[in-house]
Amino acid sequence: MAKKHKLTGRQKAAILLISMGPDVSAQIYKHLTEEEIEKLTLEISSVQKVDSRQKEAILEQFHQIALAQDYITQGGIGYAKTVLEKALGENEAAHIINRLTNSLQVRPFDFARKADPGQILNFIQNEHPQTIALVLTYLDSAQSAQILSELPQEMQADIAKRIAVMDSTSPEIINQVEQILERQLSATVTQDYTQTGGIPAVVEVLNGVDRSTERTILDALEIQDPDLAEEIKKRMFVFEDIVTLDNRAIQRVIREVENDDLRLALKVASEEVKDIVFNNMSQRMADTFKEEMEFMGPVRLKDVEEAQTRIVSVIRRLEDVGEIVIARGGGDDIIV
């Protein structure tokens, strides 16, 4: 009996998947990383027999955590705790909340993600740029984009750079900033120990700001850190984003790029991308492209990625000179 209470999280996950059956487990696998799948599969293969009482206990624990997560989504940690205490008692509720926050890593600043960006801006605009960067990494990208756009221009590039180079932040600092913002916004707060920032975070933010703000930030970053600015620009618009362009812009891109690059780029593109590109060609050109792509045979992924990068560079150049418009979160994309 003692062993039943000493199962690791991975062992419990393996038993849970076994209990759910292969069809449900296969769907869950789609949301896991290769490393997680490998470790779980190894764990499942080592399970010889599952005790019925043990299985029921794990299923019940999973059910309780799932309910608690749903309660958190509805009204935050405080709401979840109140509901669980009424249903299960204070001690059991505390255990579930602790397991949930430890295993699912409930992100900090949950209260702020439900707040108005303008309200948050009022509280953080006079803080140190590093504090502002920290808060923005935890907000939804749309919120962060709006806040960054409304900050003074002389601060924007500095904060964007701080987000991009941010690695991990000490839990104590996160907690201090949370508590201050919590008191100011009078909301429920949760704490966790997660990695923050990085280039993907600043790209998400910049993809939501208006073109003028983006250009101001990137121009400043090119002076401060050219390599960082180039890496950010590479990730801001990828080839598959061509579906967000209007027909006129796509036709302009088709005329501008090399046909060889376009054939390579389309070789492994999604059907949606292929359809929108072919629909903006003449029927004769589209038929020729399709025929030539069929006879290309296998291509190296490296060659495809390089071709897509060259096309993206053309798209960004056309935008810079005002010949096409890339949709963004700001108001300067309105054509009059």
Side-chain angles (χ1 to χ4, degrees), residues 256-324:
E256 189 72 17
V257 302
E258 297 289 337
N259 285 347
D260 288 344
D261 280 345
L262 191 53
R263 277 190 289 269
L264 266 176
L266 290 174
K267 180 71 175 177
V268 297
S270 68
E271 289 304 316
E272 183 183 11
V273 171
K274 289 178 182 176
D275 288 344
I276 199 167
V277 171
F278 290 145
N279 287 340
N280 279 283
M281 293 178 176
S282 67
Q283 187 62 52
R284 182 178 178 181
M285 184 179 184
D287 290 341
T288 301
F289 256 71
K290 292 175 183 177
E291 183 178 346
E292 291 174 344
M293 286 167 61
E294 285 182 9
F295 286 101
M296 285 176 67
V299 294
R300 293 192 309 170
L301 181 59
K302 181 175 181 291
D303 293 337
V304 173
E305 290 175 343
E306 289 175 352
Q308 290 181 346
T309 298
R310 288 191 290 271
I311 293 173
V312 168
S313 295
V314 170
I315 292 172
R316 291 193 64 86
R317 176 170 57 78
L318 290 174
E319 185 196 27
D320 285 338
V321 297
E323 294 196 28
I324 65 173

Side-chain angles (χ1 to χ4, degrees), residues 40-94:
L40 262 180
T41 302
L42 185 62
E43 196 67 56
I44 290 172
S45 66
S46 67
V47 177
Q48 300 297 322
K49 184 179 179 182
V50 180
D51 180 271
S52 60
R53 286 176 296 180
Q54 188 180 63
K55 180 181 75 173
E56 289 174 5
I58 291 171
L59 286 170
E60 178 61 24
Q61 181 180 338
F62 172 74
H63 177 65
Q64 290 175 349
I65 290 178
L67 279 178
Q69 178 64 36
D70 187 45
Y71 294 148
I72 288 174
T73 302
Q74 293 178 40
I77 287 284
Y79 173 76
K81 188 170 181 291
T82 300
V83 174
L84 291 172
E85 283 178 352
K86 290 180 179 179
L88 306 171
E90 188 174 333
N91 290 337
E92 185 61 24

Side-chain angles (χ1 to χ4, degrees), residues 104-296:
L104 300 184
Q105 293 187 322
V106 179
R107 283 172 60 80
F109 297 96
D110 180 63
F111 65 90
R113 287 189 291 277
K114 300 173 183 176
D116 178 75
Q119 189 179 19
I120 299 173
L121 174 65
N122 289 336
F123 291 125
I124 67 172
Q125 61 185 344
N126 296 320
E127 296 294 332
H128 189 279
Q130 188 67 20
T131 301
I132 298 175
L134 174 64
V135 174
L136 294 188
T137 61
Y138 277 110
L139 299 180
D140 291 335
S141 57
Q143 289 177 304
S144 298
Q146 182 175 335
I147 292 171
L148 186 60
S149 299
E150 295 180 13
L151 286 168
Q153 284 192 0
E154 60 271 17
M155 295 177 63
Q156 291 173 346
D158 180 31
I159 291 171
K161 181 179 179 180
R162 289 172 186 271
I163 295 173
V165 301
M166 191 181 297
D167 185 9
S168 57
T169 306
S170 101
E172 290 76 16
I173 293 177
I174 293 176
N175 188 41
Q176 289 174 12
V177 176
E178 274 189 307
Q179 289 181 358
I180 293 171
L181 203 53
E182 176 191 11
R183 287 195 296 269
Q184 291 172 330
L185 294 177
S186 301
T188 305
V189 68
T190 62
Q191 176 180 353
D192 100 312
Y193 299 75
T194 60
Q195 196 170 32
T196 60
I199 290 176
V202 77
V203 167
E204 279 197 29
V205 173
L206 291 181
N207 273 333
V209 303
D210 58 82
R211 178 58 173 153
S212 175
T213 301
E214 177 203 310
R215 188 181 292 115
T216 298
I217 292 173
L218 289 177
D219 287 348
L221 284 178
E222 282 177 351
I223 297 172
Q224 299 175 22
D225 194 331
D227 291 339
L228 176 62
E230 183 61 27
E231 185 64 27
I232 290 173
K233 285 196 289 185
K234 282 181 183 177
R235 301 195 196 186
M236 285 192 65
F237 186 97
V238 297
F239 179 71
E240 294 282 331
D241 292 335
I242 198 170
V243 298
T244 65
L245 302 179
D246 61 30
N247 290 335
R248 185 190 64 82
I250 294 173
Q251 292 162 15
R252 182 69 183 88
V253 171
I254 292 172
R255 292 197 301 271
E256 189 72 17
V257 302
E258 297 289 337
N259 285 347
D260 288 344
D261 280 345
L262 191 53
R263 277 190 289 269
L264 266 176
L266 290 174
K267 180 71 175 177
V268 297
S270 68
E271 289 304 316
E272 183 183 11
V273 171
K274 289 178 182 176
D275 288 344
I276 199 167
V277 171
F278 290 145
N279 287 340
N280 279 283
M281 293 178 176
S282 67
Q283 187 62 52
R284 182 178 178 181
M285 184 179 184
D287 290 341
T288 301
F289 256 71
K290 292 175 183 177
E291 183 178 346
E292 291 174 344
M293 286 167 61
E294 285 182 9
F295 286 101
M296 285 176 67

